[in-house]
């Protein structure tokens, strides 16, 4: 009862110690760990958000830099301001404009913000200033003779004046008159040659006070060619004239240009019946070119009215800087974005160059730049637009973006557009920085797991200790009972003999035999207890020697008969006559086999029949003890070798025993590098085999 009362007190003390020394500190550590992880999570979130902000800022800067580099590259491709009258200058401008979808139009300004390009008609009241009057006596005398009908004399005067002329204007004026006289004299070939000289000498400058001489030359060449029955050649000449007029419209007053264009087109349409397919196609192309030049004049009007007038301060500032500037101009319901850049340090270049940009193409360029910088596996960068920009096919609208930023340089010209940054796939913002916390969570989970394991282990150990304590109590009780019985018997027999109550010699020998038997039983029990104590204290030693299994078996059987002599026990032995010697500890093997025989007697129920067999097989010495008693359930056949364990099935608790016999047998077998095997069936008995390697 004392032991049973001790168990709850022990459990209570252990639980209190566990709560105070393990569980409470563990809970505190868990709380601190969770708090630390939360703080680390917040810190990681701040770091990641800061990194995302830096990434977004860098991406916006690079995207705007890409756009500006593209626009700056287009502006730098514009030709230098070396020859505004050259055809190459305007061809290069058109080439740059047609090269990129970004550019709807180009304009160039000089130092005074006067428009260099696009061009317009020459002011009519300044035509005379550009082509001053020619005072030449040969022209005057020739015209006087020509008016009176003296064409040959007039031609001679013109030719004489041509030889003495000193300027281009004089030569052109005289050549026109020479060609006219040759035409009147029907010298068609000479006239054609002279008119071609006029074209070459003029070189696209449209010299002539009232009418450019080059236009007269082209028109007359076409007429002469047509009169000479060469209609196809005449069409080509008129097409050349048409093209010359279109490309040099800015050298003529508007009225003069319209007059000559109408005349040329009329002339071309009159002779198109003789034109080739190629000439017809060229005529159609020139008509399209005429529309382009008309649009160029409209563009100039737009620049004068809306750009220079309203944004003169920006354009003036641009003159002294090579930085790209942007202007947003609203015209009716439309908005235009204009990029301008100045040139400094080179007088040959225009001071301000501008691009009128195509909004859709510019958004496309922004998207391409975004994609080019969108290389991270964790995050994506996108061009975002609000609902007002839904018509733009390049835009994306999504509320799942972590951070957004407007375009700093050109953002005001694209209201509603911004750059957004977000995780890729189904990841969230937590997934971006939680990856760095995985190690913390693994460590925390490991600590929690170890704590739980410790809790389970401690309670399991407590339960085992309680069970062990209970088994010890039962062991002490059983051993006390087993010791008490032979001592009481010996004491009673000794008292009877001492008092002289037993005088019969045969009776006395019987008493002495009983005393010896009980003493032997008591000695066997003491040996078990002492050996168990030595094994527990790790002080048990085994002295091995060469032993004859036959002799050892006979010694064991003799001692067994001494203990159980006189009881109704049938012992069947099977011991071969010659067995090889085996190196073992005879005392420990004797003790182990006696324990097996003792158990066989105890658990044989009413039929006490035991088979004792010794054999050598496959290099092993096998000593088997078989009983035909109550047997052992299969779920207990391995547990019976544990210390203090006693089966509670079939009322075995009532059978006296200490619970250490089979554990000693297992220990002895293992110390000989052997084993103990059991084969049992409930109700049919058990066989224990002690296997010792030879």
């Amino acid at each position: 009862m004392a032991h049973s009362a001790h168990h709850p007190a022990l459990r209570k003390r252990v639980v209190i110690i566990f709560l105070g020394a393990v569980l409470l500190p563990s809970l505190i550590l868990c709380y601190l760990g969770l708090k630390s992880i939360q703080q680390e999570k917040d810190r990681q979130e701040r770091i990641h958000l800061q990194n995302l902000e830096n990434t977004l800022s860098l991406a916006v800067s690079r995207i705007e830099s890409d756009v500006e580099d593209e626009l700056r590259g287009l502006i730098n491709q514009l030709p230098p301001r070396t020859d505004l009258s050259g055809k190459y200058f305007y061809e290069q401008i058109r080439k740059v404009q047609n090269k990129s979808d970004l550019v709807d139009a180009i304009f160039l300004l000089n130092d005074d913000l006067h428009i260099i390009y696009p061009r317009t008609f020459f002011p009519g009241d300044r035509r005379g200033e550009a082509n001053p009057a020619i005072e030449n006596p040969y022209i005057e005398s020739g015209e006087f003779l020509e008016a009176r009908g003296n064409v040959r004399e007039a031609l001679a005067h013109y030719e004489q004046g041509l030889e003495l002329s000193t300027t281009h204007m004089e030569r052109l004026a005289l050549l026109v008159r020479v060609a006219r006289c040759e035409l009147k004299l029907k010298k068609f070939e000479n006239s054609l040659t002279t008119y071609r000289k006029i074209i070459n000498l003029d070189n696209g400058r449209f010299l002539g006070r009232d009418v450019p001489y080059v236009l007269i030359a082209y028109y007359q060449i076409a007429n002469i060619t047509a009169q000479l029955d060469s209609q196809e050649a005449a069409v080509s000449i008129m097409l050349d004239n048409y093209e010359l007029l279109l490309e040099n419209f800015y050298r003529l007053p508007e009225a003069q240009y319209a007059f000559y264009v109408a005349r040329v087109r009329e002339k071309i349409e009159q002779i198109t019946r003789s034109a080739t397919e190629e000439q017809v196609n060229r005529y159609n192309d020139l008509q399209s070119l005429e529309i382009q030049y008309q649009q160029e004049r409209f563009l100039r009007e737009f620049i004068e009215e809306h750009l220079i007038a309203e944004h003169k301060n920006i354009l003036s500032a641009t003159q002294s800087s090579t930085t790209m500037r942007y202007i947003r101009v609203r015209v009716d319901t439309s908005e235009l974005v204009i990029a301008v850049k100045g040139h400094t340090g080179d007088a040959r270049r225009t001071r301000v160059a501008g691009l009128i940009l195509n909004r859709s193409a510019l958004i496309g360029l922004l998207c391409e730049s975004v994609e080019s910088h969108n290389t991270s596996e964790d995050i994506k960068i996108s061009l975002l637009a609000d609902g007002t920009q839904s018509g733009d096919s390049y835009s994306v609208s999504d509320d799942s973006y972590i951070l957004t930023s407007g375009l700093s340089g050109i953002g005001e010209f694209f209201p509603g557009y911004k750059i957004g940054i977000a995780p890729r796939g189904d990841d969230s913002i937590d997934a971006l920085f939680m990856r760095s916390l995985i190690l913390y969570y693994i460590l925390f989970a490991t600590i929690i797991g170890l704590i739980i394991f410790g809790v389970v282990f401690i309670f399991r150990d407590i339960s085992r200790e309680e069970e062990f304590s209970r088994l010890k109590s039962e062991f002490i009780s059983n051993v006390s009972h087993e010791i008490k019985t032979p001592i009481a018997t010996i004491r009673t027999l000794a008292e009877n003999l001492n008092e002289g109550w037993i005088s019969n010699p045969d009776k006395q020998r019987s008493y002495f035999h009983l005393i010896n038997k009980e003493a032997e039983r008591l000695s066997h029990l003491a040996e078990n207890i002492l050996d168990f104590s030595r094994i527990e204290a790790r002080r048990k030693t085994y002295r091995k020697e060469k032993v004859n299994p036959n002799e050892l078996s006979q010694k064991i059987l003799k001692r067994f008969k001494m203990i159980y002599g006189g009881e109704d026990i049938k012992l069947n032995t099977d011991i071969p006559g010659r067995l090889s010697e085996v190196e073992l500890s005879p005392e420990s093997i004797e003790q182990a086999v006696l324990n097996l025989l003792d158990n066989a007697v105890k658990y044989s129920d009413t039929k006490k029949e035991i088979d004792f067999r010794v054999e050598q097989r496959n290099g092993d010495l096998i000593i088997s003890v078989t009983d035909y008693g109550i047997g052992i359930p299969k779920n207990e056949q391995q547990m019976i070798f544990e210390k203090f364990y006693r089966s509670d099935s079939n009322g075995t608790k009532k059978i006296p025993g200490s619970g250490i016999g089979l554990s000693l047998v297992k220990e002895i077998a293992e110390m000989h590098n052997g084993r103990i095997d059991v084969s049992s069936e409930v109700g049919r008995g058990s066989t224990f085999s002690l296997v010792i390697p030879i």
Side-chain angles (χ1 to χ4, degrees):
M1 293 297 291
H3 284 292
S4 61
H6 177 70
H7 295 161
L10 175 63
R11 175 186 285 270
K12 184 177 181 180
R13 286 198 301 273
V14 171
V15 170
I16 292 173
I17 293 171
F18 170 75
L19 290 175
V22 179
L23 187 59
L24 184 60
S26 298
L27 292 176
I28 294 173
L29 287 175
C30 290
Y31 169 75
L32 294 176
L34 286 174
K35 188 175 181 180
S36 297
I37 290 178
Q38 183 62 43
Q39 291 174 348
E40 179 64 19
K41 179 181 177 182
D42 294 339
R43 189 181 73 86
Q44 291 287 348
E45 183 175 1
R46 289 194 299 271
I47 292 174
H48 278 283
L49 287 176
Q50 183 63 44
N51 290 338
L52 287 176
E53 289 178 0
N54 295 337
T55 300
L56 181 59
S57 177
L58 181 61
V60 171
S61 176
R62 288 179 174 177
I63 290 166
E64 291 194 336
S65 178
D66 289 346
V67 173
E68 289 199 349
D69 288 346
E70 182 72 18
L71 298 179
R72 187 178 288 106
L74 290 172
I75 289 179
N76 290 338
Q77 291 176 31
L78 295 174
R81 185 186 174 189
T82 54
D83 185 10
L84 297 182
S85 63
K87 181 179 179 180
Y88 172 80
F89 180 78
Y90 299 108
E91 285 180 349
Q92 283 297 105
I93 292 176
R94 286 197 296 272
K95 184 178 180 181
V96 173
Q97 181 170 327
N98 296 330
K99 179 180 179 180
S100 174
D101 294 335
L102 286 170
V103 182
D104 280 342
I106 297 173
F107 64 89
L108 306 173
L109 307 178
N110 65 9
D111 293 343
D112 300 326
L113 299 184
H114 291 159
I115 301 173
I116 298 173
Y117 181 88
R119 300 156 295 177
T120 188
F121 293 114
F122 195 89
D125 57 345
R126 298 179 59 189
R127 179 74 185 170
E129 297 177 11
N131 298 280
I134 300 172
E135 296 180 0
N136 189 298
Y138 294 99
I139 292 177
E140 293 179 2
S141 60
E143 287 181 344
F144 178 78
L145 293 171
E146 189 180 355
R148 288 181 172 272
N150 298 325
V151 178
R152 291 184 185 276
E153 293 179 12
L155 178 59
H157 274 259
Y158 293 147
E159 289 175 345
Q160 186 177 0
L162 191 60
E163 293 176 1
L164 300 175
S165 61
T166 59
T167 64
H168 279 82
M169 284 294 293
E170 287 183 353
R171 289 182 60 80
L172 285 171
L174 289 166
L175 284 173
V176 168
R177 287 160 174 79
V178 168
R180 186 172 63 210
C181 291
E182 290 173 341
L183 183 59
K184 290 179 179 180
L185 296 173
K186 299 189 183 300
K187 296 179 180 182
F188 297 118
E189 294 298 333
N190 293 340
S191 181
L192 286 174
T193 301
T194 304
Y195 279 125
R196 290 191 180 100
K197 289 180 180 179
I198 294 171
I199 294 173
N200 293 332
L201 185 61
D202 182 80
N203 195 23
R205 289 174 291 183
F206 276 54
L207 298 175
R209 184 171 178 82
D210 297 322
V211 178
Y213 299 130
V214 68
L215 295 181
I216 297 173
Y218 268 110
Y219 191 79
Q220 293 297 347
I221 290 173
N223 285 333
I224 295 170
T225 304
Q227 289 177 13
L228 296 176
D229 295 329
S230 181
Q231 297 292 330
E232 184 177 329
V235 173
S236 295
I237 294 169
M238 293 306 296
L239 290 173
D240 290 341
N241 192 10
Y242 187 24
E243 184 174 2
L244 183 69
L245 271 170
L246 296 179
E247 291 181 345
N248 294 275
F249 73 91
Y250 60 93
R251 300 180 185 275
L252 299 172
E254 183 175 1
Q256 194 176 46
Y257 168 80
F259 172 78
Y260 281 108
V261 165
R263 291 288 301 274
V264 170
R265 292 181 62 180
E266 181 182 357
K267 188 69 175 179
I268 293 172
E269 290 172 1
Q270 287 176 357
I271 58 178
T272 49
R273 292 187 299 271
S274 303
T276 63
E277 183 179 355
E278 183 180 355
Q279 289 173 332
V280 172
N281 292 336
R282 185 185 175 194
Y283 179 55
N284 293 333
D285 291 341
L286 290 174
Q287 287 180 309
S288 299
L289 186 61
E290 183 179 355
I291 296 174
Q292 290 183 20
Y293 288 136
Q294 184 178 5
Q295 292 173 346
E296 183 178 334
R297 296 191 296 273
F298 291 158
L299 175 62
R300 184 184 180 100
E301 294 175 1
F302 163 78
I303 293 171
E304 288 177 341
E305 294 177 7
H306 296 281
L307 187 60
I308 296 178
E310 298 176 9
H311 302 280
K312 189 172 183 178
N313 56 336
I314 297 178
L315 296 173
S316 297
T318 304
Q319 294 181 59
S320 59
S321 173
T322 58
T323 304
M324 295 286 296
R325 296 176 182 270
Y326 302 92
I327 303 172
R328 185 171 63 185
V329 178
R330 178 177 292 276
V331 181
D332 297 332
T333 59
S334 302
E335 275 192 344
L336 299 179
V337 177
I338 300 172
V340 293
K341 180 175 178 288
H343 294 287
T344 59
D346 188 354
R348 296 182 305 167
R349 298 185 67 89
T350 52
R351 297 294 288 181
V352 178
L355 305 176
I356 299 179
L357 303 175
N358 182 289
R359 182 184 181 86
S360 178
L362 187 58
I363 302 260
L365 177 61
L366 286 173
C367 285
E368 290 176 6
S369 179
V370 168
E371 286 302 317
S372 67
H373 297 293
N374 205 358
T375 58
S376 174
E377 296 180 357
D378 298 327
I379 58 174
K380 62 179 178 180
I381 302 171
S382 300
L383 180 65
L384 307 180
D386 58 22
T388 60
Q389 311 297 329
S390 59
D392 289 323
S393 59
Y394 298 104
S395 64
V396 179
S397 182
D398 197 336
D399 295 333
S400 64
Y401 287 82
I402 302 169
L403 296 171
T404 59
S405 173
L407 299 167
S408 58
I410 58 176
E412 62 176 295
F413 307 111
F414 294 95
Y417 284 93
K418 52 191 175 181
I419 305 298
I421 190 170
R424 286 193 179 275
D426 297 330
D427 291 343
S428 62
I429 177 62
D430 294 333
L432 291 178
F433 57 82
M434 282 297 290
R435 294 176 187 174
S436 59
L437 296 177
I438 290 177
L439 179 60
Y440 291 96
Y441 281 108
I442 291 175
L443 292 174
F444 181 74
T446 302
I447 293 172
I448 295 299
L450 291 174
I451 292 173
I452 293 174
F453 174 78
V455 170
V456 173
F457 181 80
I458 288 174
F459 277 100
R460 178 175 174 270
D461 198 53
I462 291 173
S463 300
R464 291 187 64 180
E465 285 297 323
E466 287 185 346
E467 180 65 17
F468 195 64
S469 179
R470 183 185 65 79
L471 292 174
K472 275 187 176 181
S473 297
E474 290 183 359
F475 166 73
I476 292 171
S477 176
N478 292 333
V479 168
S480 299
H481 179 73
E482 288 200 38
I483 291 175
K484 183 179 179 181
T485 300
I487 289 176
T489 302
I490 292 171
R491 181 179 179 183
T492 301
L493 292 172
E495 286 178 353
N496 289 338
L497 289 172
N498 187 44
E499 293 293 335
W501 292 352
I502 307 300
S503 57
N504 189 330
D506 293 333
K507 193 72 170 176
Q508 287 178 350
R509 283 194 296 273
S510 175
Y511 269 49
F512 286 132
H513 176 73
L514 288 173
I515 291 172
N516 187 40
K517 175 183 175 182
E518 292 299 325
E520 183 66 27
R521 180 179 295 176
L522 187 61
S523 175
H524 175 62
L525 179 60
E527 287 176 1
N528 277 346
I529 295 172
L530 289 173
D531 277 350
F532 178 77
S533 176
R534 292 189 189 101
I535 290 172
E536 284 288 288
R538 304 293 181 185
R539 292 186 288 104
K540 176 66 176 176
T541 59
Y542 295 90
R543 181 182 58 81
K544 294 183 180 181
E545 61 184 61
K546 290 286 186 178
V547 177
N548 188 313
N550 300 81
E551 296 177 359
L552 179 62
S553 299
Q554 294 302 328
K555 183 179 179 181
I556 293 171
L557 293 175
K558 181 179 179 182
R559 189 175 177 187
F560 173 74
K561 291 176 182 178
M562 186 180 294
I563 297 173
Y564 289 100
E567 294 189 22
D568 187 14
I569 300 173
K570 182 180 179 181
L571 180 64
N572 303 316
T573 61
D574 182 6
I575 304 172
R578 292 178 63 87
L579 294 172
S580 302
E581 288 187 343
V582 181
E583 185 175 356
L584 47 74
S585 174
E587 294 84 1
S588 60
I589 295 298
E590 179 182 348
Q591 184 182 1
V593 176
L594 282 175
N595 282 336
L596 294 178
L597 290 169
D598 184 57
N599 282 347
V601 173
K602 290 178 181 178
Y603 297 101
S604 289
D605 204 5
T606 56
K607 180 184 178 182
K608 297 186 181 296
E609 181 177 353
I610 300 172
D611 295 338
F612 180 79
R613 183 180 298 105
V614 180
E615 59 180 324
Q616 288 181 343
R617 184 174 70 241
N618 299 328
D620 294 328
L621 173 65
I622 303 174
I623 303 175
S624 301
V625 176
T626 302
D627 66 71
Y628 299 91
I630 60 178
I632 306 169
K634 287 202 177 287
N635 62 336
E636 296 184 359
Q637 288 181 12
Q638 295 302 319
M639 299 169 64
I640 57 176
F641 296 104
E642 295 180 4
K643 291 178 289 186
F644 308 127
Y645 181 82
R646 300 193 69 206
S647 176
D648 198 18
S649 59
N650 299 324
T652 54
K653 282 287 186 179
K654 299 177 181 179
I655 299 173
S658 62
I660 62 174
L662 289 178
S663 65
L664 283 172
V665 173
K666 181 181 178 182
E667 182 70 24
I668 291 169
E670 290 177 350
M671 291 301 296
H672 285 82
N673 297 321
R675 68 183 187 276
I676 178 71
D677 296 335
V678 61
S679 175
S680 180
E681 188 175 348
V682 176
R684 295 191 178 184
S686 307
T687 298
F688 288 86
S689 299
L690 181 63
V691 182
I692 305 297
I694 298 175

